[in-house]
Amino acid sequence: MGEKPAILVTGGAGYIGSHAALALLDAGWPVVVLDNLVTGFRWAVPDGAVFVEGDIADSSLVGGLIDAHEIAAIMHFAGSVVVPESVENPLKYYDNNTARSRTLVATAIAHQVRHFIFSSTAAVYGIPDTIPASESMPTDPINPYGRSKLMTEWMLRDTAAAHPMNYCALRYFNVAGADPAGRSGQSTAGATHLIKVAVEAALGKRDGVAIFGTDYDTPDGTGVRDYIHVSDLAAAHIDALEKLIAKPNDSHILNCGYGRGFSVLEVLDSVDRMAGSQISRTMEPRRAGDPDALTADNRLILGTLPWRPEHDDLDGIVRDALAWEKSLGEKA
Ligand code: UD1
């Protein structure tokens, strides 16, 4: 096999993008990271990647990069990801996740990029009628974050039908954990995600964890989610890339999850177990817009890609998140 072509990774200084950049480099793909460093960190860009500081909507910069590095595919992670913020400031989300993505896709088409992989989200399902949620179910997001991502899925679908480009939209469930080798992890301050919040509490960076709702229609009354290890998610992107190249006429929308769920209490028990201490817990009312349970029907990704989960283990996810959280103090 000949030399692999270069891949442009937008948001490669962020949490999931940096793990995908690591996975690409580990698999021998040259990587160009484009990140505006608004929420990303320069040090999170893996050694071995070319780093360019800039915005996805800067067409002349992006077009120049595509040409100079002969970019074969774009993995597009850059965007805004905080659901409550999207409710407060919807236009920021329609700008960062929708309008700027449109500009990026247009630049990709103008510069003959043939393959596009997009970070989508389980938030496109809103509150599903049945779980596990499958890709064939109707999408009905309940917040601007989910809508801003769904609109980009639609743009990609229409663009791929009209131009010589195929795409894969990966709908992430609850991404957690960190690179098992300790090279990257979730680093953004002020996180709201359960596992991040809980490991911060376990390490004394917070007083404790508030449990948002104990009267859900779930076995123990707390919310159930499908937590996927970020390294498994990164691996799915590599397999998606190879699939897009092998079958240039086919595009895909695929759930990324393990197909099982853990409750808030199960997650907190795991953190206590792995940290060897007890996090203090308080019971709070439900958080607006939270579904009882959300898990992935992952049969489509298992049938489409060679991808198989390698870190489907809650304690392992928590262990890696804890190890990363410990090492973070030494970095920022
Ligand atoms: C949400 C989105 C997801 C998105 C992610 C990005 C939905 C359905 N999901 O995930 O698509 O990618 O945000 O930000 O919109 N919890 C607590 N205490 C806490 C934090 C969380 O009890 O301090 C509970 C929540 O109520 C929920 C579970 O833990 O039951 C997971 O919450 P979180 O980690 O915030 O993720 P989602 O809201 O599921």
Side-chain angles (χ1 to χ4, degrees):
M1 220 174 90
E3 286 277 290
K4 286 176 169 158
I7 309 302
L8 179 62
V9 178
T10 76
Y15 174 42
I16 303 171
S18 64
H19 286 83
L22 283 168
L24 283 165
L25 291 165
D26 289 348
W29 298 86
V31 172
V32 178
V33 165
L34 175 68
D35 199 298
N36 63 12
L37 300 182
V38 169
T39 53
F41 298 93
R42 175 66 186 88
W43 51 256
V45 178
D47 293 340
V50 172
F51 175 67
V52 178
E53 184 174 347
D55 199 279
I56 57 170
D58 184 341
S59 309
S60 60
L61 172 71
V62 176
L65 281 178
I66 291 169
D67 294 347
H69 296 277
E70 299 181 38
I71 295 292
I74 297 178
M75 287 191 186
H76 177 33
F77 298 91
S80 299
V81 299
V82 182
V83 172
E85 185 193 38
S86 81
V87 177
E88 300 289 317
N89 193 354
L91 295 176
K92 173 176 175 178
Y93 280 70
Y94 292 125
D95 184 15
N96 284 343
N97 294 350
T98 314
R100 284 168 202 257
S101 292
R102 195 214 74 89
T103 305
L104 177 67
V105 172
T107 308
I109 295 299
H111 291 261
Q112 288 89 43
V113 175
R114 296 282 183 251
H115 315 291
F116 200 99
I117 297 177
F118 175 57
S119 300
S120 190
T121 170
V124 300
Y125 295 114
I127 299 186
D129 288 338
T130 56
I131 55 161
S134 81
E135 296 86 346
S136 58
M137 281 176 28
T139 48
D140 189 11
I142 56 165
N143 50 55
Y145 168 70
R147 284 188 276 271
S148 71
K149 289 282 187 175
L150 183 58
M151 284 196 276
T152 300
E153 282 195 10
W154 290 341
M155 276 192 299
L156 287 167
R157 183 186 63 193
D158 294 338
T159 303
H163 297 281
M165 185 191 83
N166 63 348
Y167 77 96
C168 183
L170 295 172
R171 291 180 175 168
Y172 308 162
F173 282 65
N174 287 64
V175 189
D179 177 42
R183 296 171 297 175
S184 196
Q186 167 67 280
S187 311
T188 316
T192 59
H193 293 123
L194 179 64
I195 290 182
K196 174 78 174 171
V197 166
V199 300
E200 286 178 356
L203 296 177
K205 298 184 184 181
R206 297 179 182 252
D207 293 340
V209 176
I211 299 168
F212 297 143
T214 51
D215 58 349
Y216 281 109
D217 184 15
T218 59
D220 67 21
T222 65
V224 167
R225 296 290 183 274
D226 190 336
Y227 296 93
I228 175 174
H229 194 293
V230 64
S231 296
D232 272 336
L233 183 62
H237 290 72
I238 310 295
D239 288 349
L241 171 65
E242 289 173 352
K243 186 76 176 183
L244 290 179
I245 292 171
K247 297 257 190 218
N249 293 320
D250 296 344
S251 291
H252 308 274
I253 296 176
L254 302 172
N255 284 343
C256 289
Y258 294 142
R260 52 88 187 113
F262 290 104
S263 71
V264 174
L265 294 181
E266 288 174 316
V267 168
L268 297 182
D269 287 346
S270 171
V271 174
D272 283 351
R273 214 164 30 241
M274 301 315 288
S277 57
Q278 301 265 306
I279 316 168
S280 109
R281 309 168 178 197
T282 55
M283 310 295 184
E284 304 271 337
R286 293 181 178 201
R287 191 172 65 175
D290 275 354
D292 300 68
L294 187 58
T295 55
D297 179 336
N298 64 6
R299 286 174 297 177
L300 192 58
I301 188 171
L302 293 173
T304 305
L305 303 181
W307 181 79
R308 295 292 177 266
E310 287 182 6
H311 305 274
D312 178 1
D313 164 35
L314 181 61
D315 284 351
I317 292 173
V318 167
R319 181 196 58 230
D320 291 340
L322 265 170
W324 175 255
E325 196 62 43
K326 279 185 192 151
S327 76
L328 246 191
E330 300 146 29
K331 291 202 167 64

